[in-house]
Amino acid sequence: MTKTIYFAMVWITSALVLTDVVTPVSANEVASSDKVAGFERSLQSFFENHCNDCHADGEREGGLALDELSTDLLDPAVFAKWVTIHDRVQSGEMPPPDGNPPEPVQRQSFLETLSVPLERIHRSRRSTVLRRLNRHEYQNTMNDLFGTQLELSGLLPEDARSHEFDNVGGALGLSMVHLERYMDAASKVLDAAIATSNERPSVDQISAWYKDTREAEKHVGSAWKLLDDDYMVRFEGGGYPSGMLRNTNVERPGRYRIRITGYAYQSDQPVTFSVGGTSFAAGSEKPIYGYFRLPPGEPTTIELEAWIDRRYMIAIEPHGITHPNRYKQASIDEHAGPGLAIGEVFLEGPLLEQFPSRGHQLIFSGIDRQEVMPRNPRDRLKRWYVPKFSIEADEPNSLARKSLRRVADAVMRKPMKEEALSPYVDLFSQRMQDGESIEQSLRTAITALMCSPGFLYFQESPGRLDDHAIANRLSYFLHRTCPDETLDALAREGKLTADGELRIQTERLMNSPRFERFLVDFSNSWLDLREIDFTAPDQKLFPEYDPFLRHSMPLETLAFLREVIESNLPARSLVAPEFAMLNERLAEHYGLENADVRGTQIRKVTLPNDSIRGGLLAQASILKVTANGTNTSPVTRGAWVMERIAGVTPPPPPPGIPGVEPDIRGATTLRELLDKHRNADNCRACHQKIDPPGFAMESFNPIGGYRERYRSLGEGERIDLRINNRRVAYKLGPPVDPSGQLAGGEAFSGFTEFQKLLAEQDRMLARTFVTKLLTFACGREMGFSDRSEIERIVESTSDQQYPLQELLHAVIASDIFHTK
């Protein structure tokens, strides 16, 4: 059977269970236009008295003409315009104070009248979208169900985003390419999960020394120094020859335990180094597994575990030591500076969690699967031998139904009805009739299950969610994967949402290592950390940017989010805490050497009272993703603060308005250019809100370093500064002016004053945090009908200063979380 016919059969068969997943309800069925028709008539008096002078009868200030505005709220674009009108009136921005402002009772009456149709329409619309697993959820689910550790997300098309989130159902389409890739991924998972031997695979043990490599034959005495104890010393990282250790080449991909023995040479201080992977394959990635330190004195062994792909080798690179005369000295023995001495590098793996895998047991439990012996038994001892297996059964369909029942209950994330399982048993039977073996026929039926809507989509029906749907929502929220056995058992017993059990399970999930997935995926979306490598800093402007700093940047933010949530800190801590999460590289970068932070591990550090650091907006990761590789833009950073911290999506610039580009020559600051830009009437209103946070953050350069003057590659003042024994190429340009005034009139002279003003808006910070959590948890953008519940959540913690863990618990207990 061709792949095309096979694919069609899989999808047609799996589509039979679509009605068992969810029955969508259209917005027209719940809130037809006649139910909200005429809502605008009761608003006309308000418009005539307070708005029409600027927005009707030929006037269309800001592009709004009320007498031309459609009232078809089922049109999303029209709906959005009416929501904007509601919000402008609610904030007091419209009608303007210098016009004919309404009395408070008039304003309140207007808002209550308009809120009714807006809430009705949004409430009906929000339950109509099916939500698909995104790439990372799919990868986690497959690996966790079948006990594999495969990189599957790269096989699938990139997920679209709704604003910052890539798990919002409305943005997650499904194409023929997706389905073909799902089949490929299912095949890879089954290949990896199904045992190819009755015996547990052996664990490779690789012992390697730099002294035994071909690089040693060429570079000892010039770039490398071989000691009497056979340890090899390198005095500088990077360059050629690199720290690639050829003899650690891995043939079988998997998780390996790595042990490295060494010490700091000619140094009274520890030497820092990276452990990573490298390959000869063109364009291959060079992952860094971690940074470590070796002290002087007796050899010390550090240990780590890392996933290593096939044909990858270990690469060790010193950090923070230099050899300025590396290519000038006749002999390496002349160098008296500190070095890194490395002895044995030992690899052990692949490390298996269990054998056979969870997936193998899920499929073949209770099935007699026997190896087919070769004609010559001695063939089994040869390296090329690949075992073959056979399954014999008097009633193959009965055997298949039991196997498919186990797999279906797991992949569908709830018990599957018997009639819904029958098409998959029929598919198994058809493949048997076509001449396939029992095992291959089972693989075909299981692949169909793994490509079905019941697996690829969340099984949520409109209205109140049952315990299985809540278990799915909770698990994918905090662990980014399918429910574990505990959640599944509670859901089957109907106990998950009773007697405070949901809070108990939430805390259990937060205390699991898998909670790290939440921190990574949530920060990648909310804070845009996934874009940290979108640009590369200009090495002439920012020579201090190095791999250790890049490695540490996101770790700080992840550790910070974990700390503020687990310690239940108030919402203001998001922007103005009294601590930072640092290692020695970040402390150096931030100018906090007096904090005495040593080592490569991130830890909590109390900040000095006058520190400009602390909080998301002063973290290098955030400052890098809100800049490009050469300069910063107050507009970009200000818009980021508006959307990610204030929870307000800034509108796009008006058509025909050119962007404002910085002058990297240093002749003109972007602030001066923006002053002219804001003079335009159609730019002023938005830039009054966007620019002030961006001006405050001008205190930080594109890699998060503090600055009082801009750097320039053109005009400016030369400075006498060396970094890594090289004189810097940049010059100092104009001074930074981080002052500004918020839209509410509050002025600040610099970042620390802005930081304090922002921290005082703790209710706003809590509201944004709750909204982002709900969007991420429910897989849909929060809208008009969610506002009252979000305000209730926020208010429930107001007397405690909005503690972040309590807000997370309140999100999970909310009606929004429990309904579709």
Side-chain angles (χ1 to χ4, degrees), residues 517-818:
R517 293 177 178 173
F518 162 82
L519 297 172
V520 171
D521 288 359
F522 184 57
S523 62
N524 277 349
S525 294
W526 174 34
L527 303 176
D528 214 22
L529 290 196
R530 63 185 151 214
E531 301 293 350
I532 196 164
D533 290 322
F534 186 72
T535 60
D538 188 312
Q539 284 296 303
K540 291 184 178 180
L541 282 171
F542 306 103
E544 67 269 44
Y545 184 77
D546 58 46
F548 190 12
L549 178 60
R550 160 60 185 88
H551 179 80
S552 303
M553 283 178 170
L555 297 182
E556 174 190 13
T557 303
L558 294 176
F560 176 77
L561 280 179
R562 180 184 288 276
E563 175 64 22
V564 296
I565 293 173
E566 290 185 348
S567 296
N568 205 22
L569 299 181
R572 71 184 313 274
S573 298
L574 288 170
V575 296
E578 297 176 347
F579 67 92
M581 306 300 292
L582 307 175
N583 61 11
E584 63 180 9
R585 183 64 188 93
L586 289 166
E588 175 191 12
H589 186 55
Y590 294 161
L592 294 171
E593 291 87 349
N594 292 336
D596 195 27
V597 181
R598 299 180 181 179
T600 61
Q601 300 303 307
I602 302 286
R603 83 290 307 272
K604 185 176 181 180
V605 177
T606 301
L607 293 170
N609 292 333
D610 60 348
S611 176
I612 199 171
R613 297 296 170 176
L616 293 172
L617 302 188
Q619 293 177 8
S621 63
I622 304 300
L623 295 162
K624 185 177 186 304
V625 300
T626 56
N628 61 33
T630 59
N631 49 54
T632 60
S633 166
V635 177
T636 301
R637 283 179 168 172
W640 189 94
V641 172
M642 277 191 67
E643 184 169 32
R644 313 302 169 110
I645 304 300
V648 178
T649 301
I657 301 298
V660 182
E661 295 297 331
D663 177 9
I664 65 169
R665 296 170 301 171
T668 307
T669 67
L670 187 56
R671 188 186 190 101
E672 294 170 326
L673 297 174
L674 283 171
D675 286 341
K676 299 177 182 179
H677 186 72
R678 277 197 306 276
N679 288 334
D681 290 338
N682 53 357
C683 299
R684 185 181 303 110
C686 288
H687 280 277
Q688 284 178 339
K689 300 175 183 178
I690 294 174
D691 294 351
F695 287 147
M697 295 172 70
E698 284 293 89
S699 290
F700 304 102
N701 65 32
I703 61 171
Y706 175 73
R707 65 185 176 189
E708 294 181 346
R709 295 174 68 178
Y710 294 99
R711 294 181 184 181
S712 167
L713 294 178
E715 300 180 16
E717 175 189 342
R718 292 189 179 275
I719 57 173
D720 185 15
L721 176 66
R722 302 183 72 85
I723 294 178
N724 295 328
N725 279 315
R726 297 179 180 89
R727 184 172 179 174
V728 299
Y730 65 81
K731 303 172 186 176
L732 294 181
V736 172
D737 180 1
S739 64
Q741 184 176 8
L742 300 181
E746 304 92 337
F748 55 88
S749 62
F751 180 78
T752 52
E753 290 185 10
F754 167 76
Q755 195 178 35
K756 292 175 182 177
L757 289 172
L758 193 60
E760 291 172 0
Q761 302 182 51
D762 54 352
R763 188 179 183 91
M764 176 269 288
L765 296 171
R767 184 188 303 112
T768 301
F769 185 67
V770 165
T771 303
K772 301 303 183 184
L773 286 176
L774 282 167
T775 302
F776 188 66
C778 301
R780 67 174 179 84
E781 293 286 352
M782 296 296 104
F784 199 88
S785 67
D786 301 306
R787 292 181 176 185
S788 59
E789 177 70 353
I790 290 173
E791 289 301 325
R792 186 200 64 76
I793 293 172
V794 173
E795 178 59 30
S796 70
T797 62
S798 61
D799 59 341
Q800 305 169 62
Q801 298 182 310
Y802 315 105
L804 297 175
Q805 187 177 139
E806 284 306 311
L807 286 173
L808 187 147
H809 279 296
V811 160
I812 293 171
S814 69
D815 283 341
I816 295 175
F817 190 89
H818 286 254

Side-chain angles (χ1 to χ4, degrees), residues 361-411:
Q361 297 180 54
L362 188 66
I363 298 168
F364 297 112
S365 179
I367 295 177
D368 186 17
R369 180 176 183 258
Q370 295 290 334
E371 181 180 352
V372 178
M373 292 296 139
R375 291 183 179 180
N376 184 352
R378 288 179 294 182
D379 286 350
R380 300 179 76 240
L381 303 177
K382 297 178 180 178
R383 292 176 59 87
W384 49 261
Y385 177 74
V386 178
K388 295 181 180 180
F389 293 85
S390 175
I391 298 172
E392 302 295 333
D394 295 332
E395 299 182 7
N397 279 15
S398 175
L399 174 149
R401 182 173 291 274
K402 292 178 182 179
S403 174
L404 292 172
R405 161 60 60 194
R406 288 192 302 271
V407 176
D409 285 352
V411 302

Side-chain angles (χ1 to χ4, degrees), residues 2 19 43 46 85 104 152 224 242 333 338 372 404 448 541 576 583 737 790:
T2 67
T19 55
L43 307 177
F46 185 93
I85 291 171
L152 301 175
W224 294 359
S242 71
D333 293 330
V372 178
L404 292 172
L541 282 171
N583 61 11
D737 180 1
I790 290 173

Side-chain angles (χ1 to χ4, degrees), residues 421-478:
L421 185 66
S422 295
Y424 300 98
V425 180
D426 293 343
L427 179 58
F428 167 85
S429 179
Q430 181 62 52
R431 303 310 301 143
M432 287 283 293
Q433 293 175 26
D434 290 344
E436 286 188 357
S437 67
I438 291 177
E439 181 168 332
Q440 187 58 49
S441 299
L442 262 180
R443 283 180 60 119
T444 300
I446 291 169
T447 298
L449 278 168
M450 293 157 72
C451 295
S452 71
F455 173 64
L456 297 177
Y457 284 86
F458 287 90
Q459 304 178 51
E460 299 177 340
S461 298
R464 197 77 179 174
L465 300 179
D466 62 23
D467 273 29
H468 283 288
I470 291 295
N472 286 327
R473 189 168 280 194
L474 180 65
S475 185
Y476 279 96
F477 178 33
L478 298 181

